Amino acid sequence: QVQLAESGGGLVQTGGSLRLSCTASGGTFSTYAMGWFRQAPGKERDFVAAIRWSGGTTYYATSVKGRFTISRDNAKNTVYLQMNSLKPEDTAVYYCALSTYYSDILYYERSYNYWGQGTQVTVSS
């Protein structure tokens, strides 16, 4: 069974930075893409960023483009989310997701078949 372990969340002031990590483990699987989503209190879970494992093509939500960077370490089956210039509206639980099959649309939740437990990111004003 594939498991995703997230780390790196925490409390940071406006304008600060955090780096989230997510490592996939367990069983034998092929990674096609990994992504990050977030859910703020009282809101739906939204797409943040994604990366294709082969080729490394990246995708970003408009709200984070230019501030967040997604990257991967294929050998470690790990995806990172570097978050800079953080704003209070970035406060949310951040979820890592993995897809073991090809999908054209990586900003849909249904494109992923494994999810992490989430890590809290809080940006104070």
Side-chain angles (χ1 to χ4, degrees):
Q1 181 69 16
V2 176
Q3 293 183 324
L4 302 179
E6 298 139 329
S7 62
L11 173 65
V12 65
Q13 291 185 332
T14 297
S17 298
L18 282 174
R19 188 194 195 205
L20 305 183
S21 300
C22 174
T23 299
S25 62
T28 302
F29 58 94
S30 296
T31 302
Y32 279 89
M34 292 188 76
W36 291 94
F37 289 72
R38 67 186 181 185
Q39 187 169 22
K43 296 187 177 181
E44 295 183 349
R45 189 156 59 182
D46 292 329
F47 170 76
V48 175
I51 186 166
R52 293 200 184 275
W53 229 238
S54 176
T57 303
T58 57
Y59 307 85
Y60 295 94
T62 302
S63 60
V64 306
K65 197 172 294 184
R67 299 188 298 123
F68 291 10
T69 302
I70 189 170
S71 60
R72 77 205 191 287
D73 184 329
N74 296 47
K76 296 181 179 179
N77 257 338
T78 297
V79 66
Y80 305 96
L81 185 68
Q82 178 66 44
M83 304 185 294
N84 299 328
S85 302
L86 283 162
K87 307 174 181 179
E89 51 263 44
D90 294 318
T91 295
V93 176
Y94 283 70
Y95 296 91
C96 170
L98 181 150
S99 175
T100 59
Y101 57 87
Y102 180 81
S103 173
D104 280 339
I105 311 295
L106 291 180
Y107 51 81
Y108 286 157
E109 289 189 40
R110 62 175 181 263
S111 296
Y112 302 85
N113 47 341
Y114 294 99
W115 291 83
Q117 294 297 310
T119 185
Q120 177 70 46
V121 171
T122 302
V123 185
S124 63
S125 57

